[in-house]
Amino acid sequence: MDAQTQWTGLDAGRLDRIGDHLERNYIAPGKIAGCQVLVARHGHLAYQKSFGLRDRERAVAWSDDTIVRLYSMTKPITSVALMMLYERGLFQLNDPVSRVIPGWRDHQVWVSGEGEDMKTEPPKRPITFRDMLCHTGGLGYGSLLNALTGAPAGHAVDKVYAQLDVGRGPGETLETFVDKLGKVPLRYHPGERWMYSLSTDVCGYLVQALSGKRFDRFLKEEILEPLGMHETAHNVAPQNHNRLAACYRRGGDKQLHLVDDPTDSPFLHEPSFFGGGSGLTGTIADYHRFCEMLRRGGELDGVRIIGPRTLDLMRMNHLPEGGDLAGLAIGAFSETAYEGVGFGLGFASTLNQMKTQSLGIGDYYWGGAASTIFWVDPVEDLCVVFLTQLLPSSSFNFRGQLKSIIYGAIVD
């Protein structure tokens, strides 16, 4: 047994199947331009490799220090930030969000119809902090979902998002954003269903309002810098512009189409909207440090970010009556499958391996729109990060495939 296998319990030869699989099935046929994978167990790095190109148009290889758009892998970091304030006694999970956002006291719930014929009713209970962390508050993704999926606005409430121009683009701020959301009808009564939504952007606003610090500064001062995540931010630092990967979309012709050129990407400039649900850029080394903090119960290299019991609370299933997403979710868009999957305060989790048809009971995880993924498995003492830049994230089941290979390499 080699030293690496002895430290990690992962067979190095079997882990090499990762590269074989990605090269043969994705890089060579041009399904993705490039990617990188990191696997660590018991605090030891077991596997880290980069493949293909980060910029196909300029033939630039994907290097280990490549910077990517994390998109919704911003959400777990934001959720931890808000729960840090929970630990300071600044809110309780069942507190109404309207305590911080007074304009939300007049929210209505959609019943039927659209436009002038839309019927609404008052919510049965207020939207809570737990709802924002758990996507159970009645918010949706609105017109932003249409941009991500390419589908036209369908539901009547989505059309209201578009009419009010609810977005995260230039000129929008967290303040204007939450003000607009207060005028959009909820899709369902808070706590009764689950819908992937703009809720975590609201969590970013709540962090800002409760802490008195601009959201991006709170992240930098309270999480990113203490963890040594020096290259994670809402925009790429000027000295690092040449390391940003290109971002592609898989078209109906099954070909890659460039959608964000790294030489003139909006991520090269500081935004007006510091999103909690999307917006961070970073490296695989940085995100691994975040995952290691989670694996170690909220602490890394002597720096405690969050308490272990709070983190345990976050990764519990908070869905009503312990149900899974298959029974509660509205809409098909998400960064996870639904069968056998629960959702906590910022993370999805595997509840039932028979239903998910994948290994990793008790793991917790999320992903991003450009097909980035991570998971932490406290049972196996394992964390995995996979980065690429391919929209939409539903193109390929990278999570399931990598799980099959990585868990098949555990030999202790």
Side-chain angles (χ1 to χ4, degrees):
M1 180 184 295
D2 60 44
Q4 179 175 298
T5 302
Q6 186 175 4
W7 293 333
T8 66
L10 287 158
D11 183 282
R14 294 173 76 85
L15 280 180
D16 281 338
R17 295 172 177 173
I18 294 172
D20 295 340
H21 176 74
L22 293 172
E23 290 276 13
R24 180 176 63 254
N25 295 295
Y26 294 101
I27 303 295
K31 293 180 179 179
I32 60 175
C35 65
Q36 58 191 149
V37 188
L38 184 151
V39 182
R41 192 164 184 243
H42 305 322
H44 297 287
L45 191 64
Y47 185 93
Q48 182 178 355
K49 290 187 180 179
S50 300
F51 307 92
L53 303 174
R54 70 167 174 237
D55 185 338
R56 184 186 60 175
E57 285 63 35
R58 298 170 184 87
V60 180
W62 194 300
S63 60
D64 289 348
D65 63 353
T66 292
I67 295 172
V68 304
R69 302 152 194 80
L70 293 169
Y71 288 121
S72 287
M73 274 172 53
T74 303
K75 287 180 169 72
I77 298 176
T78 300
S79 301
V80 167
L82 186 55
M83 290 304 288
M84 291 170 70
L85 300 180
Y86 168 84
E87 290 189 324
R88 298 175 194 180
L90 296 183
F91 70 91
Q92 294 295 294
L93 290 173
N94 287 330
D95 285 350
V97 170
S98 59
R99 180 170 73 82
V100 181
I101 312 175
W104 282 29
R105 291 181 182 137
D106 299 323
H107 256 136
Q108 293 287 298
V109 179
W110 175 84
V111 175
S112 64
E114 65 178 78
E116 295 182 356
D117 297 324
M118 181 180 290
K119 294 182 180 179
T120 63
E121 63 185 13
K124 296 176 184 177
R125 66 159 175 80
I127 300 171
T128 66
F129 280 76
R130 184 197 304 269
D131 289 324
M132 290 298 93
L133 287 157
C134 199
H135 297 283
T136 54
L139 301 183
Y141 250 110
S143 55
L144 287 174
L145 173 59
N146 313 131
L148 287 170
T149 63
H155 196 275
V157 173
D158 292 342
K159 295 177 182 178
V160 179
Y161 279 89
Q163 291 163 7
L164 294 175
D165 194 25
V166 179
R168 299 184 290 199
E172 193 79 88
T173 67
L174 285 171
E175 290 85 356
T176 60
F177 174 79
V178 297
D179 180 62
K180 291 176 183 178
L181 281 178
K183 301 176 175 66
V184 179
L186 306 177
R187 279 288 304 271
Y188 55 86
H189 287 277
E192 293 190 353
R193 303 301 295 267
W194 184 94
M195 188 174 190
Y196 194 39
S197 69
L198 295 167
S199 296
T200 318
D201 288 304
V202 178
C203 289
Y205 174 80
L206 295 173
V207 170
Q208 180 171 284
L210 291 171
S211 70
K213 291 183 181 180
R214 201 173 77 176
F215 176 59
D216 63 311
R217 291 175 185 156
F218 183 94
L219 289 188
K220 180 177 180 179
E221 295 172 12
E222 305 275 352
I223 297 179
L224 303 176
E225 290 297 328
L227 287 178
M229 298 171 65
H230 302 300
E231 296 185 319
T232 300
H234 278 88
N235 62 285
V236 181
Q239 66 271 23
N240 297 329
H241 282 185
N242 65 328
R243 288 162 46 202
L244 178 64
C247 191
Y248 301 91
R249 177 179 291 278
R250 181 173 167 86
D253 58 0
K254 299 186 178 180
Q255 300 299 309
L256 293 182
H257 301 272
L258 181 67
V259 293
D260 189 12
D261 190 314
T263 64
D264 62 1
S265 170
F267 287 95
L268 301 180
H269 312 286
E270 183 175 279
S272 63
F273 184 85
F274 297 99
S278 179
L280 285 178
T281 61
T283 63
I284 201 165
D286 273 14
Y287 213 89
H288 175 225
R289 291 190 66 79
F290 178 70
C291 291
E292 269 295 290
M293 177 274 293
L294 297 176
R295 185 191 67 84
R296 291 168 57 93
E299 174 272 335
L300 182 65
D301 294 342
V303 176
R304 179 157 295 283
I305 300 299
I306 196 164
R309 287 162 182 78
T310 304
L311 186 56
D312 286 345
L313 176 65
M314 292 182 69
R315 60 188 185 86
M316 291 176 183
N317 182 24
H318 285 252
L319 297 178
E321 300 180 0
D324 68 1
L325 292 177
L328 291 161
I330 295 176
F333 173 69
S334 179
E335 296 297 341
T336 182
Y338 289 165
E339 294 285 344
V341 176
F343 202 88
L345 306 179
F347 306 99
S349 58
T350 301
L351 302 178
N352 187 314
Q353 293 179 125
M354 292 294 291
K355 290 184 177 180
T356 62
Q357 294 294 295
S358 68
L359 296 164
I361 188 74
D363 65 353
Y364 53 109
Y365 61 89
W366 204 238
S371 303
T372 59
I373 61 174
F374 85 95
W375 75 86
V376 178
D377 185 333
V379 176
E380 294 293 350
D381 203 27
L382 172 78
C383 56
V384 177
V385 185
F386 170 81
L387 302 181
T388 188
Q389 295 286 264
L390 176 72
L391 298 165
S393 58
S394 57
S395 298
F396 304 109
N397 184 15
F398 290 116
R399 185 182 302 279
Q401 294 162 22
L402 288 172
K403 275 193 162 190
S404 297
I405 297 169
I406 293 166
Y407 284 86
I410 298 175
V411 294
D412 68 359

